Amino acid sequence: MGIKQEKQVNIERGVNMYSDKVMDHFSNPRNVGEIENADGVGQVGNSKCGDIMKMYLKIEDDVIVDVKFKTFGCGAAVATSSMATELIKGKTVEEALKMSNKAVVEALDGLPPAKLHCSVLAEEAVIAAINDYKRKQGHEVEDVDCQGCCGGCGSTR
Amino acid sequence: MNKKIIYVDHAATTYVKPEVFDEMRPYFTEYYGNPSSIYSLGRESKKAIEKARAQIAFYLGAHSTEIYFTGSGTEADNWAIKGAAYANRKKGKHLITTVIEHHAVLEAFEFLRKEGFEVTYLPVDENGIVDPNELAKAIRPDTTLVSIMYANNEIGTVQPIKELAAIAKEKGVLFHTDAVQAVGNIDINVKDLDVDFLSMSAHKFYGPKGVGALYIKKGTRVDSILHGGAQEKNRRPGTENVPGIVGMAAAIKLAYDNIEQNIKHLQNLSDRLIDKVMDKIPYVRLNGDREQRLPGNVNLSFEFIEGESLLLMLDMKGVQASSGSACTSGSLDPSHVLLAIGLSHEIAHGSLRISFGTENTEEDVDYIVDNLEEIVSKLRAMSPLYEDYVRKDGK
């Protein structure tokens, strides 16, 4: 008798807002801090919607050799920033640009629907930092269009 | 799990005190009769309800015929607001409330607005207090109801209800107060306040969940919002929650028989927390009035950090508290109360509500302060806002 195990796991997931992975990256965030004389720095989000992510990159021969972040935001914002830094560390700039918010969500074993915007913000923070790097290299790049937050920054989404 | 748990979210709910539960227990298993039945088991239940009603009325200075049981504080609020609005709609369709009400009140008014009523929302000052002059100015010939909460659930601010109710009465307008956070925590006498409706909820003062009550002053016209049986003098149908009602009465007795020492105890804990936090943690503000507030409520905003992160880290240390942050509610906007008292989004996002209960101790306060200090500095160390601030300030 009793409810099936699968069902029980689903109930637990519904009650626990965050997965163990999210909680791990929130309580022990990887790569927190700043990089002095970073090759690329990007900041996205705004304090109005409650999430700001700032990403610092150290790039050698087009490879991200070091990455640090600072985040103002909820548990998911901290965890997605942390996971994003892990995913792009050691990757080439082009590989890092291909990292989608979905990859961050999957690596964290999922996020509550209301928190998905945090993963978009993490993706955008990476792009913003890489764009800054490219600009410093003399390339022309378009600004990141904020997709992840509340619209307080003028974005339409 | 044997980690230390410090529960400081009593404004959300409380546990049922054992002596309250003891009184409730027989009404689950022994005296289970339907109060509407005429046989002895039914009469036992009926008697328990009427005894509870008289006891609650006694502690609030009401007559027992003026207390009506409901399923929650939310239901009591909805009943008073919608019931009074509909009962008086021929007289007028203008209603007045404030911007800092609980959602149980705000959403009831929002419903009425869609039904063709007009609602005026009174502002509050930076401490969250309603100016009686603003109320006087807002009342019109077609105003039928004013609803102003007794004590705010987030920032604990206590309103000058007696003065506000007098203004409404002078102009012949009904007055409701949502006293869900106040009943059991501060002295209340409905006759002295001279209000027409007052809502309360048992689980806020160590009673059970699922039972509330509405005080309706004798002779006040109010429509029913639920329709069915003849319970509660034909005004609120549904088989009575007998154990819940018995528990509510036991809890109110326990609360008011010890009210003075409870207030003193809670006040001491709050003062200790506020003083220590202000002393040890920079860039923090107390929200709500320092004096006119619930004795057990402390609402703080920590600059440069976000409330949900703070709550999660406190939870890891066993501290169960609450926040006015957006992220806990699923919406992106921070608390309407914190915005109404003039906080910026940024500051409002970093808010923490600690609400003490009788079982909390000074050691609990010290444990909370120690952990807060550590957590706040950890979160600030990873906050780009703090980084910007420090850089700008050249520190």
Side-chain angles (χ1 to χ4, degrees):
Chain A
M1 290 296 279
I3 50 177
K4 282 188 186 149
Q5 190 143 14
E6 191 189 334
K7 181 106 181 169
Q8 230 154 13
V9 169
N10 284 339
I11 290 172
E12 195 127 321
R13 281 238 175 104
V15 173
N16 295 342
M17 188 166 64
Y18 291 135
S19 70
D20 291 346
K21 274 256 179 72
V22 172
M23 286 311 291
D24 175 36
H25 275 262
F26 167 70
S27 39
N28 304 296
R30 287 36 154 197
N31 308 309
V32 178
E34 298 166 46
I35 296 175
E36 268 188 52
N37 306 316
D39 298 304
V41 182
Q43 180 168 318
V44 293
N46 67 52
S47 54
K48 190 170 180 287
C49 55
D51 295 304
I52 299 176
M53 288 181 196
K54 192 169 186 179
M55 201 119 354
Y56 300 82
L57 302 175
K58 187 87 199 153
I59 299 171
E60 283 169 16
D61 300 330
D62 250 21
V63 173
I64 298 168
V65 292
D66 197 12
V67 49
K68 299 270 189 216
F69 80 91
K70 283 204 170 180
T71 289
F72 162 87
C74 59
V78 173
T80 52
S81 324
S82 168
M83 183 53 88
T85 60
E86 287 279 270
L87 291 177
I88 62 166
K89 208 172 186 176
K91 298 278 165 63
T92 66
V93 167
E94 289 316 306
E95 283 169 339
L97 279 174
K98 283 186 198 136
M99 181 205 69
S100 69
N101 75 303
K102 267 193 194 143
V104 177
V105 176
E106 275 165 25
L108 287 169
D109 290 342
L111 279 178
K115 302 289 186 177
L116 286 172
H117 71 279
C118 292
S119 67
V120 179
L121 218 52
E123 177 190 325
E124 287 169 357
V126 171
I127 297 171
I130 291 176
N131 283 353
D132 181 54
Y133 162 74
K134 286 186 170 174
R135 225 173 267 128
K136 282 176 181 161
Q137 300 282 303
H139 300 288
E140 263 185 48
V141 277
E142 281 178 37
D143 281 328
V144 197
D145 180 28
C146 174
Q147 303 273 301
C149 75
C150 55
C153 49
S155 152
T156 48
R157 210 174 100 182
Chain B
M1 222 175 58
N2 49 14
K3 77 170 177 186
K4 183 172 180 166
I5 293 273
I6 295 180
Y7 184 79
V8 282
D9 201 15
H10 296 80
T13 193
T14 56
Y15 66 95
V16 174
K17 288 211 169 166
E19 48 269 65
V20 171
F21 189 54
D22 284 346
E23 290 203 34
M24 294 171 66
R25 194 181 287 112
Y27 294 94
F28 283 109
T29 54
E30 231 177 296
Y31 306 117
Y32 52 83
N34 190 319
S36 300
S37 305
I38 57 160
Y39 41 74
S40 63
L41 262 187
R43 293 199 308 270
E44 265 323 311
S45 297
K46 183 84 183 158
K47 204 162 78 189
I49 292 174
E50 293 317 317
K51 213 183 122 202
R53 198 189 310 277
Q55 189 154 305
I56 291 164
F58 169 78
Y59 283 103
L60 298 176
H63 192 273
S64 68
T65 55
E66 298 172 311
I67 301 293
Y68 293 83
F69 293 110
T70 65
S72 61
T74 292
E75 188 198 326
D77 285 337
N78 270 265
W79 184 9
I81 293 163
K82 293 176 190 168
Y86 282 119
N88 295 287
R89 70 184 181 281
K90 287 205 177 98
K91 185 192 160 204
K93 294 185 110 180
H94 179 238
L95 314 164
I96 299 172
T97 186
T98 81
V99 290
I100 61 159
E101 299 298 311
H102 188 275
H103 286 292
V105 168
L106 287 179
E107 294 300 319
F109 277 109
E110 184 54 23
F111 170 82
L112 288 170
R113 207 181 53 76
K114 285 182 187 149
E115 290 283 294
F117 288 86
E118 195 186 330
V119 184
T120 296
Y121 296 88
L122 299 176
V124 292
D125 68 12
E126 72 275 11
N127 291 330
I129 290 178
V130 177
D131 179 356
N133 293 323
E134 293 277 347
L135 173 61
K137 273 193 283 176
I139 294 176
R140 313 188 313 210
D142 61 339
T143 308
T144 57
L145 175 74
V146 174
S147 176
I148 299 177
M149 73 198 313
Y150 203 114
N152 186 266
N153 50 307
E154 291 186 39
I155 55 173
T157 303
V158 175
Q159 304 295 341
I161 291 299
K162 191 176 172 175
E163 195 182 339
L164 294 163
I167 291 167
K169 192 186 172 82
E170 194 194 307
K171 307 220 176 172
V173 178
L174 292 174
F175 193 93
H176 164 250
T177 185
D178 169 6
V180 165
Q181 292 290 336
V183 171
N185 286 310
I186 46 180
D187 263 317
I188 287 180
N189 184 305
V190 290
K191 291 289 176 276
D192 179 51
L193 291 172
D194 205 6
V195 295
D196 300 293
F197 304 99
L198 182 142
S199 312
M200 64 200 102
S201 177
H203 75 103
K204 304 292 189 186
F205 49 91
Y206 302 94
K209 294 164 185 65
V211 58
L214 180 64
Y215 160 80
I216 305 175
K217 188 200 238 167
K218 198 175 175 214
T220 308
R221 284 186 54 204
V222 57
D223 284 4
S224 294
I225 56 168
L226 296 177
H227 304 93
Q231 292 89 350
E232 299 297 281
K233 295 196 294 284
N234 273 322
R235 294 179 110 170
R236 198 277 184 183
T239 299
E240 300 87 338
N241 175 1
V242 185
I245 289 167
V246 167
M248 185 177 203
I252 210 165
K253 178 176 185 344
L254 205 56
Y256 281 117
D257 284 350
N258 302 289
I259 190 76
E260 273 170 40
Q261 71 193 71
N262 286 350
I263 289 176
K264 213 175 137 197
H265 175 65
L266 296 175
Q267 193 73 63
N268 172 49
L269 297 178
S270 297
D271 287 342
R272 188 182 180 93
L273 179 69
I274 294 167
D275 291 345
K276 287 202 166 201
V277 166
M278 295 294 173
D279 183 45
K280 294 188 169 185
I281 304 178
Y283 314 117
V284 54
R285 60 161 278 162
L286 175 72
N287 299 315
D289 196 275
R290 185 74 175 82
E291 303 298 326
Q292 292 302 308
R293 74 187 301 136
L294 288 171
N297 173 292
V298 178
N299 190 305
L300 300 162
S301 287
F302 298 91
E303 286 188 58
F304 319 117
I305 63 172
E306 195 278 329
E308 189 202 275
S309 288
L310 182 58
L311 284 190
L312 288 171
M313 288 200 175
L314 281 171
D315 181 32
M316 288 175 199
K317 299 289 181 184
V319 179
Q320 323 269 304
S322 172
S323 156
S325 150
C327 291
T328 49
S329 62
S331 98
L332 286 170
D333 278 325
S335 134
H336 65 287
V337 177
L338 296 176
L339 296 180
I341 59 169
L343 264 61
S344 68
H345 276 70
E346 189 179 318
I347 308 286
H349 276 301
S351 302
L352 175 71
R353 180 188 72 183
I354 303 265
S355 44
F356 290 112
T358 53
E359 78 281 8
N360 289 127
T361 63
E362 291 188 345
E363 288 72 50
D364 290 349
V365 175
D366 297 349
Y367 180 85
I368 293 167
V369 174
D370 288 347
N371 282 290
L372 263 180
E373 213 183 340
E374 201 182 306
I375 292 166
V376 169
S377 66
K378 186 177 172 184
L379 287 172
R380 280 181 181 162
M382 64 158 116
S383 166
L385 291 174
Y386 189 58
E387 180 189 315
D388 292 349
Y389 177 82
V390 170
R391 203 154 281 165
K392 243 180 251 163
D393 241 38
K395 281 182 192 161

Short mmCIF file of all heavy atoms in Angstrom, two decimals, chain B residues 298-318:
data_model
loop_
_atom_site.label_atom_id
_atom_site.label_comp_id
_atom_site.label_asym_id
_atom_site.label_seq_id
_atom_site.Cartn_x
_atom_site.Cartn_y
_atom_site.Cartn_z
N VAL B 298 10.34 41.89 14.07
CA VAL B 298 11.52 42.66 13.68
C VAL B 298 11.66 42.50 12.16
O VAL B 298 11.71 41.38 11.66
CB VAL B 298 12.81 42.14 14.35
CG1 VAL B 298 14.01 42.95 13.87
CG2 VAL B 298 12.69 42.21 15.87
N ASN B 299 11.67 43.61 11.43
CA ASN B 299 11.84 43.54 9.98
C ASN B 299 13.03 44.39 9.60
O ASN B 299 13.06 45.59 9.84
CB ASN B 299 10.58 44.03 9.27
CG ASN B 299 10.63 43.75 7.78
OD1 ASN B 299 11.57 44.15 7.09
ND2 ASN B 299 9.63 43.06 7.27
N LEU B 300 14.04 43.75 9.03
CA LEU B 300 15.30 44.43 8.72
C LEU B 300 15.61 44.35 7.24
O LEU B 300 15.28 43.36 6.58
CB LEU B 300 16.44 43.75 9.49
CG LEU B 300 16.33 43.73 11.01
CD1 LEU B 300 17.27 42.69 11.59
CD2 LEU B 300 16.63 45.10 11.61
N SER B 301 16.23 45.41 6.71
CA SER B 301 16.74 45.35 5.33
C SER B 301 18.25 45.45 5.37
O SER B 301 18.80 46.38 5.95
CB SER B 301 16.19 46.51 4.51
OG SER B 301 14.84 46.28 4.22
N PHE B 302 18.89 44.48 4.75
CA PHE B 302 20.35 44.46 4.65
C PHE B 302 20.72 44.91 3.25
O PHE B 302 20.33 44.26 2.28
CB PHE B 302 20.90 43.06 4.92
CG PHE B 302 20.60 42.56 6.30
CD1 PHE B 302 19.43 41.84 6.55
CD2 PHE B 302 21.45 42.83 7.35
CE1 PHE B 302 19.13 41.39 7.83
CE2 PHE B 302 21.17 42.38 8.63
CZ PHE B 302 20.00 41.67 8.87
N GLU B 303 21.46 46.00 3.15
CA GLU B 303 21.81 46.49 1.82
C GLU B 303 22.77 45.53 1.11
O GLU B 303 23.55 44.84 1.74
CB GLU B 303 22.46 47.87 1.94
CG GLU B 303 21.47 48.97 2.27
CD GLU B 303 22.12 50.34 2.18
OE1 GLU B 303 22.64 50.68 1.11
OE2 GLU B 303 22.10 51.04 3.21
N PHE B 304 22.69 45.55 -0.20
CA PHE B 304 23.58 44.83 -1.13
C PHE B 304 23.36 43.32 -1.19
O PHE B 304 24.08 42.62 -1.87
CB PHE B 304 25.08 45.07 -0.81
CG PHE B 304 25.41 46.49 -0.45
CD1 PHE B 304 25.90 46.81 0.81
CD2 PHE B 304 25.23 47.49 -1.38
CE1 PHE B 304 26.20 48.12 1.14
CE2 PHE B 304 25.53 48.81 -1.07
CZ PHE B 304 26.02 49.13 0.20
N ILE B 305 22.40 42.80 -0.42
CA ILE B 305 22.17 41.35 -0.52
C ILE B 305 20.69 41.07 -0.78
O ILE B 305 19.85 41.95 -0.61
CB ILE B 305 22.66 40.58 0.72
CG1 ILE B 305 21.89 40.99 1.96
CG2 ILE B 305 24.15 40.76 0.92
CD1 ILE B 305 22.19 40.12 3.14
N GLU B 306 20.41 39.85 -1.14
CA GLU B 306 19.06 39.48 -1.55
C GLU B 306 18.47 38.54 -0.51
O GLU B 306 19.15 37.67 0.03
CB GLU B 306 19.14 38.84 -2.95
CG GLU B 306 17.82 38.74 -3.67
CD GLU B 306 17.04 37.54 -3.23
OE1 GLU B 306 17.66 36.51 -2.85
OE2 GLU B 306 15.80 37.62 -3.25
N GLY B 307 17.18 38.74 -0.24
CA GLY B 307 16.52 38.07 0.87
C GLY B 307 16.44 36.56 0.80
O GLY B 307 16.61 35.88 1.81
N GLU B 308 16.20 36.01 -0.39
CA GLU B 308 16.06 34.56 -0.46
C GLU B 308 17.38 33.86 -0.13
O GLU B 308 17.39 32.86 0.59
CB GLU B 308 15.59 34.10 -1.84
CG GLU B 308 15.24 32.62 -1.82
CD GLU B 308 15.28 31.98 -3.19
OE1 GLU B 308 14.28 32.06 -3.92
OE2 GLU B 308 16.33 31.39 -3.53
N SER B 309 18.46 34.42 -0.64
CA SER B 309 19.78 33.84 -0.32
C SER B 309 20.01 33.87 1.18
O SER B 309 20.52 32.91 1.77
CB SER B 309 20.88 34.64 -1.01
OG SER B 309 20.85 34.39 -2.39
N LEU B 310 19.63 34.97 1.78
CA LEU B 310 19.77 35.12 3.23
C LEU B 310 18.94 34.06 3.97
O LEU B 310 19.43 33.40 4.89
CB LEU B 310 19.32 36.54 3.60
CG LEU B 310 19.39 37.01 5.04
CD1 LEU B 310 20.80 36.91 5.56
CD2 LEU B 310 18.90 38.45 5.15
N LEU B 311 17.70 33.88 3.53
CA LEU B 311 16.83 32.89 4.18
C LEU B 311 17.36 31.48 4.03
O LEU B 311 17.33 30.69 4.97
CB LEU B 311 15.43 32.91 3.54
CG LEU B 311 14.49 34.05 3.89
CD1 LEU B 311 13.11 33.73 3.35
CD2 LEU B 311 14.42 34.25 5.39
N LEU B 312 17.87 31.15 2.83
CA LEU B 312 18.39 29.80 2.59
C LEU B 312 19.59 29.52 3.50
O LEU B 312 19.73 28.43 4.05
CB LEU B 312 18.79 29.63 1.13
CG LEU B 312 17.66 29.54 0.10
CD1 LEU B 312 18.22 29.60 -1.32
CD2 LEU B 312 16.85 28.26 0.27
N MET B 313 20.45 30.53 3.64
CA MET B 313 21.63 30.34 4.48
C MET B 313 21.26 30.27 5.95
O MET B 313 21.86 29.50 6.71
CB MET B 313 22.64 31.45 4.22
CG MET B 313 23.30 31.28 2.86
SD MET B 313 24.84 32.17 2.73
CE MET B 313 25.37 31.64 1.11
N LEU B 314 20.28 31.06 6.36
CA LEU B 314 19.80 30.97 7.75
C LEU B 314 19.20 29.59 8.00
O LEU B 314 19.41 28.99 9.06
CB LEU B 314 18.77 32.06 8.04
CG LEU B 314 19.30 33.46 8.32
CD1 LEU B 314 18.15 34.47 8.36
CD2 LEU B 314 20.09 33.51 9.64
N ASP B 315 18.45 29.10 7.03
CA ASP B 315 17.84 27.78 7.15
C ASP B 315 18.90 26.69 7.34
O ASP B 315 18.73 25.77 8.13
CB ASP B 315 16.98 27.49 5.91
CG ASP B 315 16.28 26.14 5.98
OD1 ASP B 315 15.93 25.71 7.10
OD2 ASP B 315 16.08 25.51 4.93
N MET B 316 20.03 26.84 6.65
CA MET B 316 21.12 25.86 6.81
C MET B 316 21.66 25.88 8.23
O MET B 316 22.23 24.90 8.70
CB MET B 316 22.27 26.18 5.84
CG MET B 316 21.93 25.86 4.40
SD MET B 316 23.29 26.41 3.35
CE MET B 316 22.47 26.49 1.78
N LYS B 317 21.49 27.01 8.90
CA LYS B 317 21.93 27.12 10.29
C LYS B 317 20.77 26.82 11.25
O LYS B 317 20.88 27.03 12.46
CB LYS B 317 22.47 28.52 10.58
CG LYS B 317 23.67 28.91 9.75
CD LYS B 317 24.90 28.12 10.18
CE LYS B 317 26.12 28.53 9.36
NZ LYS B 317 27.28 27.71 9.69
N GLY B 318 19.64 26.40 10.69
CA GLY B 318 18.51 26.03 11.54
C GLY B 318 17.58 27.16 11.89
O GLY B 318 16.64 26.98 12.66
#
